[in-house]
Amino acid sequence: MTSRSTSFSAQQPRPKLRPSSSSRSFSRRLSFAVSSAEQGQNGVAASGVEHQIEEEIDEIKRYEDFTTIDWVQDAAREQLRRKAQRREDAGFFQREGGLGWRHKVWESYDAGQAWIVVSLIGAAIGLNAAFLNIVTEWLSDVKLGYCTTAFYLNENFCCWGAEDGCADWHRWSSLWPVNYVLYILFSTLFALTSASLVKSFAPYAAGSGISEIKCIIAGFVMKGFLGFWTLLIKSIGLPLAIASGLSVGKEGPSVHYAVCTGNVISRFFEKYRRNAAKTREILSACAAAGVAVAFGSPIGGVLFSLEEMSSYFPLKTMWRSYFCALVATAVLAAMNPFRTGQLVMFQVKYDRSWHFFEIIFFVIIGIFGGLYGAFVMKWNLRAQAFRKKYLTKYAIIEATLLATGTAIICYPNMFLRRDMTESMEILFLECEGANDYDGLCESENRWSMVLSLAIATVLRVFLVIISYGCKVPAGIFVPSMAIGASFGRMVGILVQALHESFPTSKFFSACEPDVPCITPGTYAFLGAGAALSGIMHITVSVVVIMFELTGALTYILPTMIVVGITKAVSDRFGKGGIADRMIWFNGFPFLDNKEEHTFNVPVSHIMTSEITVLLSSGLKVGDVEKILADTDFQGFPVVEDRAAKVLLGYIGRTELRYAIDRAKKERYVPQTARCFFTPPASIAASTPSSAAPPVTFDTMAATAGHLSIDFSRFIDPTPLAVHPRLPLETVMELFKKMGPRVILVEYRGKLTGLVTVKDCLKYQFKVEAQENPRDDSILQESQERLWETMKQTVGWVTDRVSKVSGGRLRLGDGGVQGGSWARSSSDRRSPTSPLSRAHMLDGTENDDPGLELEDR
């Protein structure tokens, strides 16, 4: 239960509180509701008071960071809201004698609000995707040349309709060394700009975001990760990062900015602002739309959200995900960013079939996909650990140097020089017709092409390992597909050469004479699918995405074979894709539905026995506030007395802090005022404990004058509790399926302990460490040696720059060094800037956020 404390937990007791403007507006509405109840307007007015209280508590909870949502309590609150709404409708019918047209219109709007929100979000995602496609293509082309007729046109639009060459598109110079230097300078500038924007304005805009979104959909609160500033910087920095030439893609970040768009828009609607469960449905639908616009695959996007993103995916969510993906894809198609009718640049059509003897080579491609995923995940996590340990302060300079080094390495290779989506478009094409690129389809260039593709595959794997995770918007989908495509095309060229060398062999007897038998482009297409499946450990959605990319029904079976082989090989090296590994690496409290465990221990083996409890009576306000100040637990069990520990209920930290602050706001409450967490016997005898407690703030203010406060209305009298001998696996399933924040452990009514998701994960990691012990001392020593080598290199470069400039320019004095500049730029942020206003899911983030579990 050790989580971050709320913003109220460190306050000292004082007679009056000074709430924020939003809190004052809530207070005014609440005071009006209370005064109405005092004037005798009971019934509907009383339920309105309770509704306002719940809204104010929910508003406070929106400011809590790195906590988990209790889905059981959220569902219970939603049921109470529906019950209150039905009671209000019944009262309206009795007063008016019928439902007026205004009320019917409002009910219709409320019922169709979900479809309005989904339509708006889908349209916004489609527009943003079209904008990013256009900007990314222009920035990628401007590194190589410019259009003389209009500078803002990329190479394709500038040469539109040109058949024999393009006189309007010019290289920057006729000398290749000049073009080489300009290519490097543009790449460095783009990476520097993207990393600076991320560091200065929205640190959460870095990376892919898929692993964090999985945790957020599951109920983990990351303040600002889906906020407006993250959306803005992600949309600006993503084209710059891709155009810089870094081995990163836009498909993962597409999911992030799509979910940000859904979160920002849904906050304008009260139904989603106050209900976390409905917001979760919208976020799942947005994840599907993000993949749909990234790959031009609406059905594949829905399946991706189902297979990879969502831990809870009912049919209602699937239908809304489908509709959101449909709207987003339709808007993108209407915008037609490439003016070719294609939703993505590497869409292709295959009109040629395959042969059964090719299955042998398909199996080779599938094995490569599984090995690629395992290799990249292992070494990328090591690179991430090195980056977190040594390079955190130098995020900008790291991204800039990576882009510079990538440009230096990639420019000489024809397949690495181009943008990865353009490269895949070339590799996917058939060789017949006018489709050729620098002799790719010419037989005399076959072996040089094989060598170039092999070098491109090896270099791209290395660059993906060191680039994925740097502090720019970065995905791994497209880089992995580009690696698979280059390997697959290489295999296809070799198979084609084998067929041409032995055309009469029985092995190739299925080939028809005078008709091309081998299509190397299909091997590239299958290699892209294998690499994507290997790095993400997804199967069905990959098959559907690749089918929607090609529209070739005949290649569904080869794709299924390749993905199946990839899945089998990947599972030999561990469960979970790169997103699941990043969740584990960052220490997020997330239980994956795809994991199965056998611990053979009861829940009492891992539960927390030393618990801070609240007595039902006898505590004073000062004692309760001291407990809140000395602990950071997110809730407290309520027991009858410390000896018997008879469990009476559970109260959340936010509700307890709110109740104390509200009582003090009404009138002065001394530190010696007694606190009661169960109603008096007279009230308890006449009111069932399962019903809503009748105590309101009217009685709370009145009892404050008699030195006592009744908190019984804030108690959950039926918390989720289990027997100590219940198997741990069953408790983990309860966390996965029901989503409570905490599960209490009681034996014959006596509280014996409690367990959280964090306790389950700690035990899981402990068991895994015992089953697979490893010594990291050698790895740590090698990282230390690498860091010392890097520091010596930087020192040598600094001395040379100082000597060349005559001492006028020194790296590391604050003016040029990336880390110092980044820290100073972030430290100059004023307290009144937009980044200083923190909101859960729609604000901004801390520069050094804490986590629920320790980093590993």
Side-chain angles (χ1 to χ4, degrees):
M1 286 183 63
T2 55
S3 301
R4 286 294 184 95
S5 60
T6 65
S7 58
F8 296 99
S9 60
Q11 294 177 348
Q12 296 296 325
R14 52 190 178 184
K16 294 286 186 179
L17 294 177
R18 296 188 53 144
S20 63
S21 60
S22 61
S23 299
R24 286 196 297 269
S25 64
F26 271 93
S27 301
R28 285 193 293 269
R29 296 200 301 268
L30 183 59
S31 300
F32 174 77
V34 172
S35 63
S36 300
E38 289 174 347
Q39 293 172 5
Q41 298 178 5
N42 297 325
V44 177
S47 63
V49 172
E50 294 181 2
H51 178 68
Q52 295 293 343
I53 293 171
E54 291 175 0
E55 277 196 349
E56 189 163 355
I57 293 176
D58 290 343
E59 182 72 12
I60 295 171
K61 285 185 175 181
R62 290 181 61 207
Y63 291 82
E64 297 175 347
D65 197 10
F66 293 103
T67 59
T68 53
I69 297 173
D70 193 321
W71 295 111
V72 176
Q73 291 187 3
D74 186 78
R77 285 195 299 268
E78 179 61 20
Q79 291 295 331
L80 290 176
R81 289 193 188 102
R82 292 180 179 178
K83 185 177 180 180
Q85 183 65 37
R86 287 195 297 267
R87 188 185 303 118
E88 183 180 350
D89 292 343
F92 182 88
F93 188 84
Q94 292 176 359
R95 291 192 307 270
E96 304 294 334
L99 296 179
W101 67 270
R102 292 185 181 88
H103 196 81
K104 291 181 180 179
V105 169
W106 171 254
E107 283 190 338
S108 300
Y109 166 74
D110 187 69
Q113 195 174 112
W115 303 108
I116 297 174
V117 172
V118 167
S119 300
L120 292 175
I121 292 172
I125 292 172
L127 290 172
N128 197 12
F131 163 77
L132 293 181
N133 285 334
I134 295 171
V135 174
T136 301
E137 191 175 2
W138 180 79
L139 290 175
S140 299
D141 288 344
V142 81
K143 296 188 301 181
L144 302 173
Y146 63 96
C147 185
T148 56
T149 56
F151 185 76
Y152 56 86
L153 294 179
N154 57 41
E155 184 176 2
N156 287 336
F157 286 177
C158 184
C159 301
W160 195 265
E163 296 181 358
D164 299 328
C166 181
D168 295 331
W169 181 263
H170 288 182
R171 298 287 179 179
W172 289 107
S173 173
S174 58
L175 302 175
W176 75 265
V178 177
N179 292 329
Y180 191 13
V181 172
L182 289 176
Y183 182 89
I184 296 171
L185 291 178
F186 273 116
S187 299
T188 304
L189 178 63
F190 292 158
L192 174 64
T193 305
S194 179
S196 301
L197 289 173
V198 169
K199 180 69 176 180
S200 302
F201 296 101
Y204 276 155
S208 172
I210 289 181
S211 56
E212 290 86 352
I213 292 172
K214 287 184 67 173
C215 297
I216 290 173
I217 292 177
F220 185 54
V221 178
M222 297 182 67
K223 184 174 59 182
F225 192 84
L226 303 180
F228 172 76
W229 279 96
T230 303
L231 170 62
L232 180 64
I233 299 303
K234 194 92 174 185
S235 300
I236 297 175
L238 180 58
L240 292 169
I242 296 173
S244 68
L246 287 169
S247 294
V248 297
K250 66 178 180 180
E251 274 62 24
S254 295
V255 176
H256 190 182
Y257 76 67
V259 176
C260 287
T261 303
N263 180 72
V264 171
I265 293 178
S266 65
R267 291 293 166 186
F268 290 101
F269 297 83
E270 183 183 2
K271 178 188 291 187
Y272 298 97
R273 189 168 59 245
R274 73 188 184 192
N275 191 326
K278 292 187 179 298
T279 303
R280 175 167 63 171
E281 295 177 3
I282 293 296
L283 299 186
S284 298
C286 293
V291 175
V293 296
F295 289 105
S297 172
I299 305 300
V302 175
L303 291 176
F304 177 84
S305 182
L306 170 63
E307 187 176 2
E308 179 66 16
M309 299 300 298
S310 302
S311 56
Y312 177 73
F313 204 84
L315 289 176
K316 179 173 62 175
T317 303
M318 177 179 289
W319 172 227
R320 286 176 181 165
S321 300
Y322 168 78
F323 188 76
C324 188
L326 172 65
V327 173
T329 309
V331 172
L332 180 62
M335 294 291 294
N336 196 12
F338 304 113
R339 293 297 184 268
T340 59
Q342 296 178 336
L343 298 179
V344 291
M345 189 178 296
F346 46 87
Q347 275 186 326
V348 291
K349 299 292 182 183
Y350 294 123
D351 53 5
R352 197 177 302 153
S353 184
W354 56 281
H355 307 88
F356 274 96
F357 68 82
E358 295 181 277
I359 291 180
I360 298 175
F361 307 107
F362 297 161
V363 170
I364 294 175
I365 293 175
I367 294 174
F368 168 80
L371 295 176
Y372 160 78
F375 180 81
V376 169
M377 281 188 283
K378 176 182 178 180
W379 288 99
N380 179 256
L381 288 179
R382 293 186 176 184
Q384 298 272 30
F386 179 83
R387 178 178 288 114
K388 180 175 288 188
K389 187 175 182 180
Y390 298 105
L391 302 178
T392 303
K393 298 179 181 179
Y394 312 105
I396 295 179
I397 195 68
E398 179 205 358
T400 305
L401 292 178
L402 276 175
T404 304
T406 301
I408 293 173
I409 295 173
C410 292
Y411 188 83
N413 189 286
M414 55 182 291
F415 298 107
L416 298 177
R417 185 187 313 138
R418 288 272 181 178
D419 178 67
M420 283 178 287
T421 55
E422 294 183 31
S423 177
M424 278 194 293
E425 180 187 21
I426 294 166
L427 294 174
F428 285 175
L429 291 175
E430 296 180 355
C431 279
E432 283 65 38
N435 298 321
D436 195 3
Y437 174 65
D438 289 351
L440 176 63
C441 295
E442 297 178 4
S443 58
E444 58 268 18
N445 298 331
R446 179 172 295 159
W447 299 111
S448 61
M449 289 299 161
V450 169
L451 180 61
S452 296
L453 288 169
I455 294 174
T457 302
V458 174
L459 287 180
R460 185 74 76 186
V461 169
F462 170 74
L463 292 173
V464 166
I465 289 173
I466 64 174
S467 299
Y468 182 68
C470 66
K471 300 306 178 183
V472 296
I476 201 171
F477 284 21
V478 164
S480 297
M481 294 177 68
I483 291 169
S486 59
F487 177 83
R489 185 80 185 204
M490 181 182 66
V491 172
I493 293 175
L494 292 176
V495 175
Q496 188 180 43
L498 184 65
H499 171 254
E500 292 180 1
S501 300
F502 306 97
T504 59
S505 173
K506 291 183 178 180
F507 186 77
F508 299 107
S509 60
C511 295
E512 299 179 4
D514 301 328
V515 176
C517 181
I518 306 299
T519 307
T522 60
Y523 288 77
F525 157 76
L526 294 173
L532 178 58
S533 176
I535 198 66
M536 292 299 297
H537 279 221
I538 52 179
T539 53
V540 179
S541 52
V542 170
V543 174
V544 175
I545 286 172
M546 302 309 289
F547 161 67
E548 289 186 280
L549 279 175
T550 61
L553 284 170
T554 55
Y555 281 91
I556 286 185
L557 182 58
T559 307
M560 294 177 67
I561 294 173
V562 169
V563 170
I565 298 295
T566 299
K567 175 66 173 175
V569 174
S570 299
D571 288 343
R572 296 292 299 171
F573 296 94
K575 303 290 184 179
I578 187 68
D580 301 305
R581 304 290 178 91
M582 289 305 300
I583 291 174
W584 173 87
F585 179 80
N586 290 321
F588 296 137
F590 178 77
L591 290 173
D592 196 346
N593 287 327
K594 294 177 286 188
E595 293 183 354
E596 296 180 359
H597 304 284
T598 304
F599 298 115
N600 295 321
V601 296
V603 67
S604 59
H605 191 75
I606 71 161
M607 70 181 184
T608 303
S609 301
E610 300 295 328
I611 312 171
T612 301
V613 298
L614 299 178
L615 302 180
S616 60
S617 60
L619 290 177
K620 299 177 182 179
V621 172
D623 299 332
V624 175
E625 290 191 328
K626 187 175 187 304
I627 292 175
L628 289 172
D630 295 343
T631 65
D632 56 0
F633 303 138
Q634 290 299 311
F636 306 93
V638 178
V639 298
E640 194 171 89
D641 57 71
R642 296 189 186 278
K645 285 191 174 181
V646 176
L647 181 62
L648 300 179
Y650 185 85
I651 184 170
R653 181 188 190 91
T654 304
E655 287 81 358
L656 182 58
R657 182 75 264 177
Y658 166 80
I660 295 175
D661 293 341
R662 181 60 186 163
K664 289 184 175 182
K665 190 185 301 181
E666 289 298 319
R667 65 177 61 187
Y668 175 70
V669 177
Q671 293 292 295
T672 57
R674 301 179 68 84
C675 301
F676 293 93
F677 292 91
T678 54
S682 60
I683 299 179
S686 60
T687 305
S689 59
S690 60
V695 184
T696 65
F697 280 119
D698 313 341
T699 58
M700 179 181 289
T703 55
H706 297 86
L707 303 180
S708 65
I709 305 178
D710 191 352
F711 295 105
S712 60
R713 79 169 316 278
F714 298 100
I715 300 294
D716 179 12
T718 56
L720 187 60
V722 298
H723 194 279
R725 289 197 294 269
L726 189 69
L728 176 58
E729 296 86 352
T730 306
V731 173
M732 295 178 72
E733 287 299 315
L734 287 175
F735 278 117
K736 294 176 184 178
K737 298 297 191 298
M738 299 183 65
R741 175 181 286 180
V742 60
I743 295 178
L744 303 180
V745 182
E746 65 171 352
Y747 180 66
R748 294 182 178 178
K750 179 182 178 180
L751 179 68
T752 59
L754 58 82
V755 62
T756 63
V757 172
K758 177 180 176 181
D759 298 322
C760 298
L761 289 173
K762 279 186 174 181
Y763 184 77
Q764 175 185 334
F765 298 148
K766 179 181 176 181
V767 171
E768 291 175 353
Q770 292 175 350
E771 293 177 350
N772 304 297
R774 59 181 183 180
D775 185 11
D776 292 337
S777 58
I778 299 177
L779 177 61
Q780 294 176 0
E781 290 176 1
S782 62
Q783 289 183 348
E784 284 287 347
R785 290 195 298 268
L786 177 60
W787 178 239
E788 291 298 328
T789 303
M790 293 175 64
K791 288 197 296 184
Q792 292 174 5
T793 304
V794 171
W796 181 83
V797 172
T798 300
D799 293 339
R800 292 297 179 270
V801 171
S802 178
K803 289 181 180 180
V804 171
S805 63
R808 292 187 298 271
L809 181 63
R810 287 187 59 83
L811 299 178
D813 288 342
V816 179
Q817 187 183 15
S820 302
W821 182 86
R823 291 194 299 273
S824 63
S825 64
S826 61
D827 292 341
R828 288 194 298 267
R829 189 182 303 149
S830 64
T832 58
S833 67
L835 296 184
S836 63
R837 299 189 297 271
H839 295 263
M840 185 197 97
L841 298 184
D842 63 344
T844 54
E845 57 285 319
N846 300 324
D847 287 339
D848 186 20
L851 297 179
E852 188 81 10
L853 297 175
E854 294 82 359
D855 293 342
R856 287 173 294 282

